[in-house]
Structures are given as C-alpha cells and as structure tokens.
Amino acid sequence: MAIDPTRVAYYTDGSYGYNAGFFINPLVDIFEGGLNYIDPHDASGIFKFDYEFVKGLKFTGLANVNYVLTNKTAKSNKLYYKDFFTETIYEKGQNALEERRDYKGYYNLQGLLSYNKTIGMHNFDALLAYQQESQQSNWISASRTGYPTDLVWVLNGGPKTDWTNDGNAQHWAIASVIGRLNYSYAGKYMLSASFRSDASSRFAKENRWATFPSAAIAWRLSEESFMLATKGIIDDLKIRASWGQNGASQGLGLYPSYSTIQMGSIALNNNYLQTAKPGNIGNTELGWERTEMLNLGVDFRTLNGRLGFTADYYIKNSKDILIGLPVPLEYGFGKPKVNIGELENKGWEVELRWNDVISGFRYEIAGNISDNKNKVKDLGGTGPWVGNPYNDVGLPFNSIYGYEALGLFQSDEEVKNSPFQNANTKAGDVKYKNQNPDVDDKIDAKDRVVIGDPYPHYLFGLRLNGEYKGFDISMFFQGVGQRDLIFNTQAVRPLNDSPIFEHQMDYWSPENTDAKYPRILNKTDGNHNYQVSDYWKINGGYIRMKNLQIGYSLPKSILSKTGFSRTRLYLSANNLLSISNTVPGWDPEANASLSYPFSRTYSLGLNLQF
C-alpha cells in the first residue's frame, strides 16, 4: 500500500480522509472493502512397495497421489466516504459476491527394477524404470453484483441482472522409460551408459516420444601400478569424460500441437449470444528440444588429502529449441512456437580446496570460479530478430540492444549542431551516436546497435572455515566478475513516481556540467534520456559476504554432566558486506528494475542435542 503522505488518513472525528475526484483512501478498501475466504481440502499420500526376488535383484514401486479441493468466497462491500467539511456522503462500488471451486488431482507412479552384482574385481549395477505422471484440474465460478444488503451472502440472494459464471478444465501427462548400466573394475575403470525415452501430452502423437542416450567413462590413474612411485605425493588422480542428451518442453502451454476454440459471448439486440473463434493454430510438427553436452574433467588430491583440485570443461549444444517465431500482426495469434533454434554454450569450472591442522587450529579454504559463453548458431533463417532483446547468429542469446551514448550535451548550441534527437532535447540530455550519417541526420530506432551481453561471467565463491578449542568461525563470499546491466529505472531518475535518493542529486545543471546523471525531466518532457543505451550500462559484477557465523561449543567434560551430547551457541549475520557498481542500497543480485534494497540480518541461536 502506498499513498501520498500529504493526504489525510483519518479526520479528528475518526472518519476516513477523502478528496473527491483525486484521492481515494486505501484504508477504506482494506478495512471496509470486504473479505476473502479460502477453504482448502487437501489429501495426499505416498505408497511404497519393495520386493527382492533374489540377492541383488530388487523391485521398488512408488505411488504419489494428491487431491486438492479449494472453496473460495470473495465478498465485496459498497463503500461510503464522508467529506469532513461538507458532510456529503459519497458511495463507491456495490455489494458483490463471488464463489469459486477449484479441483486438482495429481498422481505419479514409478516402477524401478535394480540389479547389483560383484564378481571378483568386477562390479555391475543395472537399473530399469518406468514413470508416469498426470494432472487434471478444473474450476467453476459464479458471481452476482448489486446485493441490497451486506447481511445475506448467498448467490441466489443477489439480483439476476448482473451476474457471471465461468469455468475451465485442463490436463497434462508425461511418461518415461529409463535404463542405466554401470560397470567398474578394481576401482580404476568406470563406465556408465544410460538412456531415457520420454513422452509428453503437449506434442501430437507422431512426435510424442523421444529417446535421449548418454555415456560416461572415468579412469583413476592413481591406482595404476605405474603410479606407485607417486604415492605420498599424489593421493588421488582421476580423469573423466561424459556425453549425453536430454530433452525439454518448457514454455509451450498445454496444447500447442492442437488447434483450439475459444468460447465467448457478445451482446446483440439486448441478448447475450455465445461465440466461438480460433484460440490458436496448432503445430503438429512440434517436438522435443534436444540438448547435447560433452564434459571433460579431472579430479586431483595431494599432500595427504590437504590439497584438492577439480576442473571441468564442457560444450553444450541445444538444437530444435522451441522459440516463438516473429510473425506479422495480421497473423492474429501471437508468436507460434516452432523447433528452429540452435544455441551453443561453452564453459569451464575450477574448484580448489585446502585444509590443515596447525597446533590444534583446524581450518579449510575452498574456492571456485566458473564461466559460460553462449551464442546463437541458427534461427532457422529468420534472423536477425530486431528489438530488445536482439537475436542474431553469432551473438549471445537475447543480446542487449540500444543506442551508443556520447556523453551529455553541454549546451543548446551543441544540440543544434548535432543530429536531431527529440523536440525536447536540451543541454544536459544524453547525446546518442548517429550510426547512419550517410543516410540521415537524425537519431531513430535504426541507430540502435548491440551494446551488451546480459549473462553473468566469472561466477565465484569462497568459503573459509576455522575451529579451535570449541570456537568455530565460517565465512562465505559469493559474486560475479562481469555482467552487462542497464540501470535506467526509477533508481536513477528523480521525481518519477519514486522516492528521491541522495545519489540522484548529482544531476546536470549549468553549475554542475560534470554530473553523473542527465538533467531532471518532468513527465511531459518525455523519456528520451532513459532509452536503453550504453550511457546506463554498468558492470553488474559484485562481491558479497553472504554469511558469517561464529560459534562456541561446550567441551565434552562439561557436557557429560548435563545430559546433552552437544551444546553450541552461535551468532550469524547475512549480507554483512557488499561491493558493487549499482546505486547505493540496491541489490546487485537483482536486475535493473526497481527492487527492494537488500537487507542485512543478524541472528543469535542455541543448538542443543541429546
């Protein structure tokens, strides 16, 4: 709830403040507007069955069911406002009632057959499973408006001249067949092969099923005889590789493969007539997105396990991506989803760990850093997709698209001698670059270019733990090294239906020409200074101490007399430190939109274990 602080909430006689035609007191809606009742009935259960046919061969059956019936009643009251000075009574709205019934039935059935066998130094582990998942839901609602009193709240107590009824039903289902075989020899050689076949009701029958195989191998070199000379230096050394495919069908809705009919009504000759029109045009050729990934990795431990190192490199290609195809407005049904996209991701991750004990002080340092870069490889011959975001082959997916800025205009003469931007452009406004000087002498949408990559890079984390004579301390830092972020919202624009912040005072004026922000604009002056441009682009990277915890545990000599196995007192703090380029108080983990500033939390606790 937000209201102008200069408006009256209550008058001296206790009545609500009122200003006809300009200000409606939200307190009246909150305390007098009515009530919403929600009455849910939920029944769920998990049933499990295990049976071992012979040693190592086991069957597990699992059923998860959930049924929810929810009754909702919304009562809205006619509101009365009194002008304190004229004693005139004003009315708003009418007494109204809405009843709604929601039903959802869900089940998940699983059957799992597993077999484990060891023969000498050979170990086999096999699995075969089937899973079926389904959900049905429906709802119905009815309402009436214009009740003569707020004492009777049943549907047939209201007039039949202003009423509605509505309802809908939905269903979806998926099924999967999964198989896996693991083999290892002497703990040195490891091989895994698996597949899964999935079916989804979102696709037409001819494209409903798809199969996704995968395989992985690993070799523990440290167990080989030729590595015996390194014992005491190399504790563990393993190299591994994996390849696999998986499928996805997110963001499609429930019936994208089928043409649907949308029902409605129209008033004609004082009568309501039912209507029907196409809801969407189905695409029976829709199929699963397919993602293929190759991963190479190494695990290494040395110095009696004190130093550990893990590194991974991967290439991930997503094909047949389900993308909304840009179409002319005349198409009339929004962007249809088609399997045309191809996206490549390449990335790496490194983790380093060290732990030791020095004179009773036990400590651990663990850090990791990773990066991923993606680019569009195919748009089915439909690119580039001009807009914000911008997509074209060879660029990061959903690239930031906007104007190149040349700083701020320092005089009206400079505005006059530059390409035309806007009728309201004046000294102190953002100056944009004309990308087509040979074509025109103005700034328009054709002057936009790709100005950034929206994805975070060089994600890192650092954990420090220490323990000494019952005292312990842990710290966790997390952050991002590079992220292109456009920060041009209310946080940097004063007097735009938002609070005024101290940092916004550094705006351009004839006395402050080296300002960080452009001149202040009234609403009638337009938004030309706040277009997407690299003037507002910052490095959204940050480092934050996510958590600090200090504790003390009583020694066992004292605990033996208390009956407790452990007693620990601790102090914890979250978000204690944050360093970023965002404006003061804004959460660097959020996007550029106006968001609630991040908060620091402190807690004191006592952990008792018997």
Side-chain angles (χ1 to χ4, degrees), residues 88-305:
T88 304
I89 302 297
Y90 299 93
E91 297 180 0
K92 177 189 175 184
Q94 300 185 66
N95 294 322
L97 173 66
E98 180 182 3
E99 299 274 5
R100 176 168 171 146
R101 305 290 181 265
D102 287 86
Y103 165 80
K104 183 182 74 173
Y106 168 85
Y107 74 82
N108 186 334
L109 303 178
Q110 300 178 26
L112 175 66
L113 187 66
S114 62
Y115 181 68
N116 185 282
K117 183 70 174 178
T118 299
I119 304 175
M121 302 183 73
H122 302 271
N123 182 264
F124 300 89
D125 180 6
L127 177 148
L128 183 64
Y130 174 78
Q131 176 177 319
Q132 182 173 308
E133 192 174 0
S134 178
Q135 178 175 294
Q136 291 182 328
S137 61
N138 61 69
W139 61 270
I140 185 171
S141 70
S143 69
R144 293 193 181 184
T145 302
Y147 285 74
T149 176
D150 59 2
L151 300 177
V152 179
W153 292 108
V154 291
L155 281 173
N156 64 3
K160 297 182 179 181
T161 56
D162 192 354
W163 59 273
T164 65
N165 61 70
D166 201 0
N168 202 352
Q170 295 179 336
H171 171 255
W172 60 263
I174 58 176
S176 300
V177 178
I178 303 168
R180 186 190 69 207
L181 174 64
N182 294 332
Y183 167 77
S184 66
Y185 174 75
K188 295 188 294 185
Y189 313 111
M190 287 150 277
L191 172 66
S192 177
S194 63
F195 78 92
R196 64 177 299 143
S197 294
D198 296 314
S200 172
S201 61
R202 289 171 169 81
F203 302 123
K205 290 183 178 180
E206 53 268 29
N207 293 319
R208 186 162 293 169
W209 283 93
T211 300
F212 309 100
S214 64
I217 57 174
W219 180 21
R220 180 167 278 118
L221 282 79
S222 55
E223 297 298 317
E224 296 288 356
S225 58
F226 60 78
M227 295 288 289
L228 291 177
T230 66
K231 290 294 183 182
I233 300 175
I234 298 178
D235 303 314
D236 185 47
L237 175 60
K238 181 172 69 174
I239 58 176
R240 45 190 167 77
S242 63
W243 171 90
Q245 294 182 346
N246 58 35
S249 59
Q250 288 88 358
L252 280 176
L254 295 181
Y255 312 108
S257 299
Y258 307 95
S259 297
T260 59
I261 302 298
Q262 181 178 343
M263 308 302 294
S265 62
I266 187 174
L268 187 65
N269 296 328
N270 295 322
N271 292 314
Y272 275 105
L273 302 179
Q274 191 172 25
T275 63
K277 66 176 183 179
N280 72 283
I281 297 178
N283 180 3
T284 58
E285 296 183 0
L286 281 178
W288 290 86
E289 291 184 3
R290 190 178 294 269
T291 297
E292 182 176 293
M293 183 171 176
L294 173 67
N295 187 92
L296 305 174
V298 59
D299 301 317
F300 175 74
R301 286 190 299 115
T302 186
L303 301 178
N304 294 321

Side-chain angles (χ1 to χ4, degrees), residues 321-336:
I321 299 176
L322 294 159
I323 297 178
L325 185 68
V327 292
L329 291 176
E330 292 80 4
Y331 180 73
F333 296 98
K335 296 180 179 181

Side-chain angles (χ1 to χ4, degrees), residues 511-527:
E511 296 75 32
N512 187 28
T513 58
D514 194 29
K516 184 175 182 179
Y517 301 114
R519 70 183 178 99
I520 295 178
L521 295 179
N522 295 320
K523 287 185 178 181
T524 56
D525 292 331
N527 296 311

